[in-house]
């Protein structure tokens, strides 16, 4: 049991180092030797846990996205109300320097890889479906609670997720005119103007 | 002069082959030998026109995006009215199988490269600014003509472009629930519901 726990710890350590390297240098630039160097171990040890280079790279994408998703869900649980949670989600997803920006650099590469290599699509889509599902449940919950309008919840989910991804791309690729405050404002405006029940109508309905 | 024209033709041929290869196999998988093979020439000939591998890859991205932009602008010129042009633009940009889908595969890789390699950002941003500018002019024109509402034209441009990119990512990465009709509908809905002056108000104003 103790060896199993140690194995698992070492495995996590390798995946952590790998996704950070992918975010920094790019999916195609990372070599197993780089991962071994960061972990202070040999390439043989890396291969003991992950037979091929593709195994460690793919598993690192999965690890990074899973961690981000778990962290976000835990943070959202602390917020009351569907609309407040959507606004919190916007804040949590802004590509601020640090981990969130690095996680976006993983996503942006994941899209490119998934678009070109169909064998990666099931992994990509599993996470995409979780993220889509989380937003979709928030929107339906907000509609049931009378906070959000009776728009088509599936279409609203696609709009919200696509807008988030598209704005993140503009920001990360350094597109002129896009920065964190503008990305935040455009997403908050979408929630307030396209999703939320206007305060007056809410009072009239209540 | 004849030699110059031939040189230019051969150069265009190389760039055309290169961007198609990038769309098909991925930016990092394309080798100069692959380009030479498609063009039926030697790697030496490729290097005569483009000294390094990066030169031909970067120039091919630029070539692809420039061609797509020119083609779109020519098609839009044939349409009268800003709103009709926006709707036409949506149609032109749907990632249908063929050239447009391949061009999107270039964009998606361009974003990933530009996010990781700041030296690519000026090239990316030059094209991004043209595309942003073209949409922005259409929106301002539509507002001046009374077809589109007096929303902030810059914010509306960011929303339209981000939504387009984000939906294309969902489609190209094979995300569940996204297909061409849904992408079209979500973009048309944005123009009709968030940008266009409702028919009644237009009649009242007219």
């Amino acid at each position: 049991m103790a060896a199993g726990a140690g194995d698992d710890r070492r495995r996590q350590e390798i995946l952590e180092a790998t996704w950070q390297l992918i975010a920094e240098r790019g999916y195609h630039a990372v070599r197993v030797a780089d991962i071994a160097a960061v972990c202070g171990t040999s390439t043989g040890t890396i291969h003991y846990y992950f037979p091929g280079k593709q195994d460690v790279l793919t598993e690192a994408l999965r690890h990074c996205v899973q961690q981000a998703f778990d962290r976000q869900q835990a943070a959202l649980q602390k917020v009351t109300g569907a609309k407040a949670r959507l606004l919190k989600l916007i804040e949590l997803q802004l590509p601020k320097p640090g981990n969130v920006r690095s996680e976006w650099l993983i996503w942006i590469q994941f899209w490119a890889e998934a678009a070109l290599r169909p064998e990666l699509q099931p992994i990509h889509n599993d996470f995409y479906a979780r993220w889509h599902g989380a937003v979709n449940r928030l929107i339906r919950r907000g509609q049931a609670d009378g906070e959000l309008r009776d728009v088509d919840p599936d279409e609203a989910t696609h709009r919200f997720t696509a807008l988030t991804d598209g704005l993140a791309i503009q920001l990360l690729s350094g597109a002129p005119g896009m920065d964190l405050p503008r990305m935040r404002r455009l997403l908050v405006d979408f929630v307030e103007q396209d999703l939320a029940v206007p305060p007056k109508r809410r009072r009239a309905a209540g």
Side-chain angles (χ1 to χ4, degrees), chain A:
Chain A
M1 289 301 280
D7 261 22
D8 193 53
R9 203 162 47 236
R10 174 45 71 99
R11 203 173 174 278
Q12 297 299 310
E13 201 179 287
I14 294 169
L15 294 177
E16 193 63 29
T18 305
W19 88 255
Q20 297 273 4
L21 280 169
I22 296 174
E24 201 180 299
R25 303 185 193 175
Y27 188 84
H28 292 274
V30 176
R31 297 168 310 159
V32 172
D34 302 324
I35 303 167
V38 170
C39 294
T41 187
S42 66
T43 57
T45 303
I46 307 297
H47 286 305
Y48 166 77
Y49 291 94
F50 303 96
K53 182 183 162 182
Q54 279 311 318
D55 301 315
V56 65
L57 290 181
T58 305
E59 210 48 50
L61 296 180
R62 196 201 296 263
H63 173 80
C64 163
V65 176
Q66 177 70 55
Q67 275 205 316
F69 188 79
D70 291 347
R71 195 182 63 236
Q72 278 177 10
Q73 291 305 307
L76 290 180
Q77 292 307 316
K78 295 181 189 152
V79 178
T80 310
K83 188 184 144 194
R85 282 191 186 176
L86 268 181
L87 295 173
K88 176 72 175 178
L89 185 57
I90 291 171
E91 204 56 38
L92 291 170
Q93 293 202 317
L94 289 177
K96 293 171 195 161
N99 259 7
V100 182
R101 188 183 163 88
S102 298
E103 284 158 5
W104 272 109
L105 290 171
I106 293 295
W107 269 115
I108 210 167
Q109 295 183 78
F110 211 157
W111 296 327
E113 292 304 307
L116 288 166
R117 293 168 45 206
E119 71 271 21
L120 273 180
Q121 292 191 359
I123 303 172
H124 172 272
N125 290 348
D126 178 36
F127 280 104
Y128 175 78
R130 280 193 230 180
W131 148 232
H132 183 94
V135 173
N136 197 261
R137 280 190 299 279
L138 277 183
I139 291 176
R140 288 173 186 273
R141 175 71 175 275
Q143 291 177 324
D145 293 349
E147 283 190 312
L148 302 182
R149 282 192 256 164
D150 281 333
V151 294
D152 180 315
D154 298 330
E155 310 268 282
T157 304
H158 282 298
R159 282 184 74 173
F160 180 80
T161 53
L163 191 61
T164 304
D165 292 345
L167 292 172
I169 287 168
Q170 293 185 13
L171 197 139
L172 292 166
S173 62
M178 188 49 62
D179 53 22
L180 286 170
R182 188 163 226 169
M183 178 168 173
R184 178 191 288 117
R185 192 169 62 250
L186 285 165
L187 287 167
V188 170
D189 280 357
F190 174 71
V191 171
E192 296 288 359
Q193 293 165 17
D194 290 68
L195 291 185
V197 172
K200 268 187 192 167
R201 277 169 58 193
R202 284 179 63 190
R203 243 177 278 134

